[in-house]
Amino acid sequence: MRLRRGVLVGVLGAVAASLVASAFLSWRHFEGRLLDDATIGGWNARLESQRDELESLSGRAQTDVLTVGQKLAGMEARLLRMEALGQRVSEMAMLTDGEFRFDAPAAIGGPASETLADSLISTDYLARIERLAGELRAREQEMSVLESLLASRRFQEEVAPSGRPVKRGWISSPFGRRVDPFSGRPAWHTGVDFAGKPGSDVIAVAGGVVAFTGERGGYGSLIEIQHGDGLATRYAHHEEALVRAGDVVKKGQVIARMGNKGRSTGYHVHFEVLKDGRLINPSRYIARRK
């Protein structure tokens, strides 16, 4: 079959153009796929990295929450123990009702302040911790005040004369007017005599500082203790002194052994109370409960 030269050239040109177009389209197709795969691969790598980072942050957050929860539980237990202790101490101290309310929320307040909210820990936890911390601080302050009050009260009870200067014995001669056992004449007795077993314990009726020990006239062997606020007590006729001047003694401490020294008709302790240097009737102090 014979074709004209022009037609043949046209057909060949069309075929060549078709081949070039096919090659171009194939190249674009494969190049686009390669670009898409690379992009997707990069995205996948970034997503995997972010997933790892999120898992790490989540683990740290859970650890922080568990730590805070443990601390919170410890603080709550500490607060409960403090409230129970405070209630018992308040009852023992016989404080006025309502003066210390350990079973009520702490009386705290003040203007609101802005806080940062970029923590991984729940804001509920932070609020509870802050509230408990405030209550604990308030309870600790109340306990400190209460401790001071009790210490002051214990000190006052310790130095206030009360009770008898013997553990066993009886009153053989009261304070005031009596017949002198040596002269048989009316005389003024400046103390209260407690008779007892020879060598029995003589005890301090209040805490204080020993001001004098030694022989003094008709007292025989004498011990004088200063208790503060102008109060002093004397213990006479003892057989043996167990303290000396300058010693600090406690209420109920044994300070001597009962004797019969000085102007005495038998084993006893002559007990005196002085207020601002003046002898007063010891009976009201003897009658006080220890």
Side-chain angles (χ1 to χ4, degrees):
M1 182 176 54
R2 292 174 178 256
L3 296 176
R4 289 184 299 175
R5 184 175 180 179
V7 174
L8 180 60
V9 170
V11 170
L12 292 177
V15 171
S18 177
L19 291 175
V20 171
S22 298
F24 177 76
L25 292 175
S26 298
W27 176 80
R28 287 296 305 270
H29 172 72
F30 286 108
E31 182 188 38
R33 289 190 58 188
L34 289 175
L35 289 175
D36 289 343
D37 289 342
T39 302
I40 292 173
W43 288 347
N44 286 334
R46 290 177 59 188
L47 288 174
E48 188 67 26
S49 175
Q50 291 175 353
R51 187 181 298 111
D52 292 341
E53 184 177 357
L54 286 174
E55 289 179 356
S56 176
L57 291 175
S58 176
R60 291 211 309 268
Q62 291 178 2
T63 301
D64 290 341
V65 169
L66 289 175
T67 301
V68 171
Q70 293 173 354
K71 291 182 178 180
L72 189 60
M75 291 173 69
E76 289 176 339
R78 178 184 171 193
L79 181 60
L80 289 175
R81 288 196 301 269
M82 187 177 297
E83 288 180 351
L85 176 61
Q87 190 64 33
R88 290 197 301 269
V89 172
S90 180
E91 292 173 357
M92 291 174 59
M94 295 179 293
L95 296 176
T96 305
D97 291 340
E99 185 174 357
F100 285 94
R101 291 293 307 278
F102 289 97
D103 57 345
I108 56 177
S113 59
E114 296 182 357
T115 56
L116 296 176
D118 57 353
S119 174
L120 294 173
I121 303 173
S122 171
T123 55
D124 291 339
Y125 272 116
L126 292 176
R128 292 178 64 191
I129 290 174
E130 184 62 28
R131 176 179 59 81
L132 280 176
E135 290 184 7
L136 283 174
R137 286 193 295 269
R139 295 297 186 268
E140 289 170 351
Q141 290 175 357
E142 291 174 355
M143 290 294 288
S144 177
V145 172
L146 182 58
E147 184 180 10
S148 298
L149 290 174
L150 289 178
S152 176
R153 182 172 297 176
R154 284 196 300 268
F155 175 76
Q156 294 298 328
E157 292 174 351
E158 175 70 19
V159 299
S162 61
R164 295 151 51 99
V166 293
K167 294 181 178 179
R168 293 180 178 84
W170 63 95
I171 295 178
S172 56
S173 181
F175 175 85
R177 190 176 297 276
R178 70 172 183 176
V179 176
D180 188 275
F182 291 94
S183 66
R185 297 177 180 178
W188 188 262
H189 189 218
T190 58
V192 176
D193 292 341
F194 289 86
K197 184 178 179 180
S200 59
D201 293 340
V202 177
I203 61 176
V205 299
V209 179
V210 179
F212 176 83
T213 58
E215 300 291 327
R216 182 181 293 179
Y219 289 106
S221 297
L222 175 69
I223 296 175
E224 180 175 322
I225 301 176
Q226 297 287 340
H227 306 288
D229 197 27
L231 281 172
T233 53
R234 289 176 178 169
Y235 312 79
H237 306 306
H238 55 265
E239 181 178 282
E240 178 188 6
L242 302 180
V243 294
R244 56 185 178 180
D247 287 350
V248 176
V249 297
K250 297 180 179 180
K251 178 179 289 190
Q253 180 178 333
V254 178
I255 59 174
R257 305 297 181 191
M258 186 177 292
N260 187 28
K261 293 184 177 180
R263 197 169 184 268
S264 172
T265 61
Y267 284 89
H268 75 285
V269 56
H270 174 79
F271 175 62
E272 293 181 351
V273 177
L274 298 91
K275 174 64 174 176
D276 297 325
R278 183 174 62 88
L279 288 164
I280 60 177
N281 191 346
S283 299
R284 62 173 177 169
Y285 296 102
I286 294 170
R288 286 181 179 175
R289 294 181 62 183
K290 290 189 177 182

